[in-house]
């Protein structure tokens, strides 16, 4: 991974840590959601990069961009693999912040941003392609819907990775519902205690 990308990642993560400390002191309602980074953190980012890079992933989808931290890890892998990342978000302010981060990292041509709902947009974006990796980190109660929408467009052996399976506590019910839901499909799935908890699912 080149230094240009690493510098932007470090800047976003530093801002996230600063916001976490402010929230620790003043409560989690201190920030407007549109101003809160809420990144996956370096451990999860590194794992996403390794999974994408070493699987040779060229078509990568992401539900939930925020400031683009996880997207940059995926974008770095896509760039090295000669691929693309398509990332969806519904919040215009965050989309704009993420776009600036992608340009600073030199990944503006690798990452395509889509403003709107992941489920309604994924069919149009993916077209005849099949996704190699999908990362889900958006509205937690909507995870089953995201999975249903994208599953037909994931190649056999492709990965669907979902965040926030272990933390925060108030997402536990949504995580349980998602885990139960995906087992209706022909998949192999594993919970990983990395970052805030990941469910890594392989399409059989």
């Amino acid at each position: 991974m080149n230094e240009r990308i690493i510098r932007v990642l470090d800047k976003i993560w530093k801002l996230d840590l600063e916001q976490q400390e402010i929230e620790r002191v003043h409560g989690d309602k201190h920030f407007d959601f549109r101003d809160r980074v809420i990144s996956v953190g370096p451990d999860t980012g590194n794992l996403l990069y390794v999974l994408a890079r070493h699987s040779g992933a060229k078509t990568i989808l992401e539900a939930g961009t925020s400031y683009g931290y996880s997207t940059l890890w995926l974008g770095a892998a896509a760039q090295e693999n000669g691929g693309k990342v398509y990332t969806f978000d519904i919040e215009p302010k965050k989309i704009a912040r993420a776009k600036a981060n992608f340009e600073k990292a030199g990944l503006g041509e690798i990452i395509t941003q889509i403003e709107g709902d992941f489920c309604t947009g994924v069919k149009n974006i993916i077209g005849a392609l099949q996704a190699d990796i999908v990362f889900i980190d958006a509205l937690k109660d909507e995870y089953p819907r995201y999975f249903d929408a994208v599953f037909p467009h994931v190649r056999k052996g492709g990965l669907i990775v979902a965040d926030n399976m272990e933390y925060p506590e108030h997402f536990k019910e949504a995580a349980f519902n998602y885990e139960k839901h995906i087992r209706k499909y022909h998949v192999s799935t594993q919970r990983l205690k990395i970052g805030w908890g990941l469910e890594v699912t392989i399409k059989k």
Side-chain angles (χ1 to χ4, degrees), residues 61 88 118-128 148-150 152-153:
L61 302 178
F88 293 75
F118 178 77
C119 297
T120 56
V122 70
K123 292 181 182 179
N124 296 328
I125 294 300
I126 200 73
D148 290 347
V150 80
H153 305 287

Side-chain angles (χ1 to χ4, degrees), residues 102-117:
F102 302 153
E103 294 296 336
K104 289 176 185 175
L107 293 175
E109 298 299 316
I110 302 297
I111 299 169
T112 298
Q113 293 179 268
I114 302 98
E115 181 176 352
D117 178 64

